[in-house]
Amino acid sequence: YDEAKAFLDDTAADKREKLVEKLLNSEGWVSHTYNWYADILRATSRLGTDGTRSGVPYLRWLRESIANNKPWNQMTYELLTATGGGWEPGKGAVGYFERDRGMPLDNMANTTRIFLGTHIECAQCHDHPYDKWKQTDFYEMSAFTHGMTTGSNDERKKFVNEKYNGRDNQEQDKTKREIYRWLMDNIYDFGVYGAGDGMIKLPMDFKGKGGKPDELVKAKSLFPGARNGSNRPMDDGREKFAKWVTAPENPRFTLIMANRLWKRALGRGLIEPVESLSPVDRPEQPELFDYLTEMIGRLGFDE
């Protein structure tokens, strides 16, 4: 009541602008936006296929990024290139890959949907039956992050592993063994390492066109802009991929965010489903869509 009355009694011409600034700098805005981003990124408190890894560093990184008004393109770049131990200062973004530990192909399918608004998961097993994507397209995209590993191989991990799961050095006390297991699952075995090879082998049961089982293929983006131009593995596959995804020359990245923001504000995207931007889809109001995408880029993804 007090806030509403103060606003109504305010005679300043810019009182609406001041109210907007106050709301955007409030803890309520951070919390609300954090929930929105956590849903988009599938961020949870427990990570990995078995749910044993703590997602606290990932969630903390996400919340701090929002509180610090970090632009979406910068957040995306950090998510796709983060490396190191998740509990190290500023390294919580590695949780994006830890979320799909042991499932790098599924992670790439989600990456393409989240950041490019394109569903290619069907092409993981065969040429897409309803879209233009081939099975080779899926694996060429996956090559950018191939060779990356999750977890950690440092001495602390080896020590706690021996204590709870080793043979000669195994801790005999059951309670202490459980403590070491908790340390392993929640602290020391949490991280991302490897820059991305830029090359990957097609699966033995490959059924698509343009390749054959066990053939080595090079990284290539779905839309023009990034590829491995050499016959040798890359030493910066993830970085090259992240730069391409977030580049101003890649319109898909801006399109999907514009569509999401419109749905967040008004309850329905200009294109539905909101994360399925087919190359042939056009919104009912193309001029509005073009204006929104231009504005988001002009403002530096500071929505």
Side-chain angles (χ1 to χ4, degrees):
Y1 174 80
D2 291 338
E3 290 180 354
K5 190 173 186 306
F7 175 76
L8 294 172
D9 291 343
D10 190 349
T11 59
D14 62 344
K15 70 176 184 178
R16 291 183 181 275
E17 288 82 357
K18 290 191 295 184
L19 177 61
V20 169
E21 286 300 318
K22 178 182 178 181
L23 293 173
L24 290 177
N25 286 289
S26 68
E27 178 58 29
W29 169 260
V30 172
S31 180
H32 184 54
T33 305
Y34 163 80
N35 290 333
W36 186 64
Y37 274 120
D39 183 55
I40 292 172
L41 297 171
R42 306 174 304 127
T44 62
S45 59
R46 308 302 302 177
L47 301 177
T49 54
D50 54 1
T52 58
R53 270 71 190 173
S54 172
V56 169
Y58 185 27
L59 299 181
R60 181 182 297 153
W61 174 88
L62 180 58
R63 191 176 187 88
E64 289 176 352
S65 295
I66 295 166
N68 293 328
N69 202 32
K70 187 180 294 182
W72 175 238
N73 57 341
Q74 182 182 344
M75 289 173 61
T76 300
Y77 181 84
E78 291 180 15
L79 288 167
L80 297 178
T81 60
T83 187
W87 288 93
E88 297 174 28
K91 299 288 188 178
V94 300
Y96 178 73
F97 287 105
E98 278 281 9
R99 171 68 175 78
D100 298 312
R101 171 181 282 223
M103 301 188 299
L105 299 181
D106 290 342
N107 180 270
M108 178 52 72
N110 280 301
T111 293
T112 307
R113 173 184 58 81
I114 292 169
F115 302 115
L116 301 174
T118 304
H119 288 261
I120 61 169
E121 53 268 26
C122 284
Q124 181 174 340
C125 301
H126 47 73
D127 290 349
H128 203 297
Y130 309 118
D131 216 327
K132 68 176 185 178
W133 312 122
K134 305 299 182 184
Q135 196 175 5
T136 49
D137 294 325
F138 181 90
Y139 282 92
E140 286 171 346
M141 281 281 283
S142 299
F144 282 108
T145 58
H146 184 256
M148 177 194 66
T149 60
T150 51
S152 172
N153 293 313
D154 65 18
E155 293 301 318
R156 293 171 298 179
K157 174 185 173 181
K158 295 177 183 178
F159 173 77
V160 296
N161 185 49
E162 288 176 352
K163 287 293 186 180
Y164 87 81
N165 200 33
R167 293 196 177 105
D168 297 337
N169 297 322
Q170 181 173 308
E171 173 62 56
Q172 297 303 309
D173 186 292
K174 183 178 179 180
T175 301
K176 290 182 179 180
R177 278 208 314 275
E178 289 304 309
I179 293 174
Y180 282 118
R181 178 184 292 276
W182 185 93
L183 288 170
M184 176 68 135
D185 290 344
N186 288 276
I187 305 295
Y188 298 128
D189 192 29
F190 179 51
V192 171
Y193 299 88
D197 291 345
M199 304 186 83
I200 192 172
K201 282 187 176 182
L202 297 176
M204 292 299 296
D205 60 349
F206 181 81
K207 304 180 182 67
K209 299 176 182 178
K212 54 187 178 181
D214 213 31
E215 179 183 354
L216 193 66
V217 296
K218 297 182 292 184
K220 180 183 177 183
S221 54
L222 284 177
F223 309 100
R227 63 188 303 156
N228 179 6
S230 170
N231 290 321
R232 298 186 300 274
M234 304 168 70
D235 58 5
D236 61 348
R238 284 205 289 148
E239 182 177 2
K240 181 169 288 188
F241 178 68
K243 285 182 177 179
W244 167 73
V245 168
T246 58
E249 297 77 22
N250 177 16
R252 305 286 297 192
F253 182 68
T254 312
L255 285 172
I256 180 62
M257 182 49 71
N259 207 30
R260 278 203 195 99
L261 288 171
W262 189 263
K263 181 166 186 173
R264 187 186 185 197
L266 298 177
R268 176 180 171 82
L270 290 169
I271 294 177
E272 288 282 352
V274 73
E275 290 186 339
S276 185
L277 304 181
S278 170
V280 298
D281 281 342
R282 288 294 293 167
E284 295 179 2
Q285 300 184 45
E287 296 84 0
L288 172 60
F289 205 45
D290 291 343
Y291 171 76
L292 291 173
T293 54
E294 184 276 331
M295 181 178 64
I296 289 174
R298 176 163 42 85
L299 295 176
F301 294 92
D302 179 8
E303 87 295 337

